[in-house]
Amino acid sequence: MTTTEGVDNGVNVQALLDAREALKGAPEAAQFTWRATTRWEKGVHTTTTVKDFAGLGAEQNHKAESAFTADHPEVFAAEDNGITPIEYLLVGLGSCLTAGVASVAQNRGIQLRSVEATIAGAHDIRGILGADSDVRNGYNAITVSFKVDADASREDIEALVAQSQKRSAVFDALTNPTDVSVEVV
Amino acid sequence: MTTTEGVDNGVNVQALLDAREALKGAPEAAQFTWRATTRWEKGVHTTTTVKDFAGLGAEQNHKAESAFTADHPEVFAAEDNGITPIEYLLVGLGSCLTAGVASVAQNRGIQLRSVEATIAGAHDIRGILGADSDVRNGYNAITVSFKVDADASREDIEALVAQSQKRSAVFDALTNPTDVSVEVV
């Protein structure tokens, strides 16, 4: 696949294709560690910061530190200083799939005009409240609906979205299990 | 379990216990839908907004709309306007487990002074780059390390963290599979 001239979605596909080839022969450089630090404020209000990560065999930094507030809404008797932790999963999913659509479109020579994804997660809160031990704590199901305006047929747009899903880090993380270990230091 | 007088972590545990009892008899009110909308900016840069949700049988709103920027870092030939989509999963995990620690501590009559969680996700980016089809797209593993300063023994603190994990929405969402359906509208 080559990048079609004249199409510019702002994704440097050539750099990604070059990285793919380079990392085939250097698997250790492909090992990234992403990090975050969460500090308790009060109640269920927390602040999480993200700044540094490791990858390409070295310590790396984002240009700026980002801080994220989480809380519970007033209907849970909290102060609603920010979105809930589980909503951050929808932020990750929507942004990952949408970034993927742009990358695949660039690679396929499809000019995008606009992309919007609506994400909805169905959550039975009896799980986290301990009201019913048969109810899971997490989402029961998540739906993502894309509106894409592009120089492409509906069939090509559906194929774009399907390919984005196939390569999405967050889609995989939500649809398949990951080992999470929690310790007290 | 009752709340011990004099302990105040800022969590209204009585309201949560009341909600648990009320929702045992009203499962339909326990069905929440959390929502987000992602808009493509340029390249892999997106903006995701979160404002409304549904629950307790009605439409609900956060007090304010929140907006979240995602992008890729400069080492991926992008502009690093914000953290990557997969890092948002760590924000959700850290904030969920930390909020849980505060809630369980309140319920057990343990006064917290500080809680800090360090979250790290190991990610082999050969998956998302398509460099090796045997490598998954998501995290290979995630670790969470808690430092808790509280009026409690180490054993009680470890039990707090374990109970938070047991009731965590995001811990469940990452360690167990969820059905995610993606469509073009």
Side-chain angles (χ1 to χ4, degrees), chain B residues 73-141:
Chain B
E74 292 178 329
V75 292
F76 292 174
E79 291 182 357
D80 196 20
N81 290 294
I83 69 170
T84 62
I86 201 168
E87 287 173 292
Y88 278 104
L89 302 186
L90 305 185
V91 174
L93 182 63
S95 57
C96 195
L97 290 170
T98 302
V101 166
S103 300
V104 176
Q106 186 66 38
N107 199 37
R108 295 184 177 183
I110 296 172
Q111 182 64 51
L112 298 175
R113 283 184 290 268
S114 69
V115 184
E116 182 177 304
T118 305
I119 310 100
H123 189 208
D124 184 337
I125 66 164
R126 289 179 299 168
I128 54 173
L129 285 171
D132 186 337
S133 59
D134 290 336
V135 174
R136 71 177 291 187
N137 294 321
Y139 284 119
N140 291 311

Side-chain angles (χ1 to χ4, degrees), chain A residues 83-91 139, chain B residues 34-35 50 53 62:
Chain A
I83 68 171
T84 61
I86 201 169
E87 288 174 290
Y88 278 104
L89 303 186
L90 305 185
V91 175
Y139 285 119
Chain B
W34 304 102
R35 304 184 187 116
V50 178
F53 57 97
H62 286 292

Side-chain angles (χ1 to χ4, degrees), chain B:
Chain B
M1 290 186 286
T2 54
T3 303
T4 300
E5 281 182 31
V7 170
D8 185 9
N9 295 317
V11 181
N12 188 338
V13 165
Q14 195 55 53
L16 297 176
L17 296 174
D18 291 347
R20 174 163 74 185
E21 290 311 307
L23 292 177
K24 278 182 183 170
E28 68 290 347
Q31 307 309 313
F32 275 62
T33 302
W34 304 102
R35 304 184 187 116
T37 302
T38 301
R39 289 182 186 82
W40 176 61
E41 302 285 355
K42 186 193 167 200
V44 293
H45 174 201
T46 59
T47 302
T48 301
T49 53
V50 178
K51 176 75 167 91
D52 59 279
F53 57 97
L56 304 179
E59 282 295 308
Q60 309 281 353
N61 275 284
H62 286 292
K63 285 196 297 194
E65 179 175 272
S66 297
F68 303 96
T69 303
D71 202 351
H72 280 175
E74 292 178 329
V75 292
F76 292 174
E79 291 182 357
D80 196 20
N81 290 294
I83 69 170
T84 62
I86 201 168
E87 287 173 292
Y88 278 104
L89 302 186
L90 305 185
V91 174
L93 182 63
S95 57
C96 195
L97 290 170
T98 302
V101 166
S103 300
V104 176
Q106 186 66 38
N107 199 37
R108 295 184 177 183
I110 296 172
Q111 182 64 51
L112 298 175
R113 283 184 290 268
S114 69
V115 184
E116 182 177 304
T118 305
I119 310 100
H123 189 208
D124 184 337
I125 66 164
R126 289 179 299 168
I128 54 173
L129 285 171
D132 186 337
S133 59
D134 290 336
V135 174
R136 71 177 291 187
N137 294 321
Y139 284 119
N140 291 311
I142 300 172
T143 59
V144 184
S145 299
F146 270 100
K147 284 186 208 168
V148 179
D149 183 13
D151 283 330
S153 67
R154 181 176 175 89
E155 189 180 21
D156 285 347
I157 290 172
E158 286 178 348
L160 270 187
V161 171
Q163 180 64 18
S164 171
Q165 181 178 332
K166 189 179 163 189
R167 282 282 165 74
S168 167
V170 175
F171 180 85
D172 174 44
L174 294 179
T175 56
N176 293 299
T178 301
D179 183 60
V180 178
S181 62
V182 182
E183 59 164 5
V184 178
V185 293

Side-chain angles (χ1 to χ4, degrees), chain A:
Chain A
M1 290 186 286
T2 56
T3 303
T4 301
E5 281 182 32
V7 169
D8 185 8
N9 295 316
V11 181
N12 188 338
V13 165
Q14 194 56 51
L16 297 176
L17 296 174
D18 290 348
R20 173 161 75 186
E21 290 311 307
L23 293 176
K24 279 181 182 169
E28 69 289 347
Q31 308 308 314
F32 275 62
T33 303
W34 304 103
R35 304 184 186 114
T37 302
T38 301
R39 289 182 185 81
W40 176 61
E41 302 284 356
K42 185 194 169 200
V44 293
H45 174 199
T46 58
T47 302
T48 301
T49 52
V50 178
K51 176 72 166 94
D52 59 279
F53 57 98
L56 304 180
E59 282 295 307
Q60 309 281 352
N61 275 283
H62 285 293
K63 284 197 299 194
E65 179 174 273
S66 297
F68 303 96
T69 303
D71 202 351
H72 280 176
E74 292 178 329
V75 292
F76 292 175
E79 293 183 355
D80 196 19
N81 290 295
I83 68 171
T84 61
I86 201 169
E87 288 174 290
Y88 278 104
L89 303 186
L90 305 185
V91 175
L93 182 63
S95 57
C96 196
L97 289 170
T98 302
V101 166
S103 299
V104 176
Q106 185 67 37
N107 199 37
R108 294 184 177 183
I110 295 172
Q111 181 64 52
L112 298 175
R113 281 184 291 268
S114 69
V115 184
E116 183 177 305
T118 305
I119 310 100
H123 189 207
D124 185 337
I125 66 164
R126 289 179 299 168
I128 54 174
L129 285 170
D132 186 336
S133 59
D134 289 337
V135 174
R136 70 177 290 186
N137 294 320
Y139 285 119
N140 291 311
I142 300 173
T143 59
V144 184
S145 298
F146 270 100
K147 285 186 207 168
V148 179
D149 183 13
D151 283 330
S153 66
R154 181 176 174 90
E155 188 180 22
D156 284 347
I157 289 171
E158 287 178 348
L160 269 187
V161 171
Q163 180 64 18
S164 170
Q165 181 178 333
K166 188 178 165 191
R167 283 283 166 73
S168 167
V170 175
F171 180 85
D172 175 42
L174 294 178
T175 55
N176 294 299
T178 301
D179 183 61
V180 179
S181 62
V182 182
E183 59 163 6
V184 177
V185 292

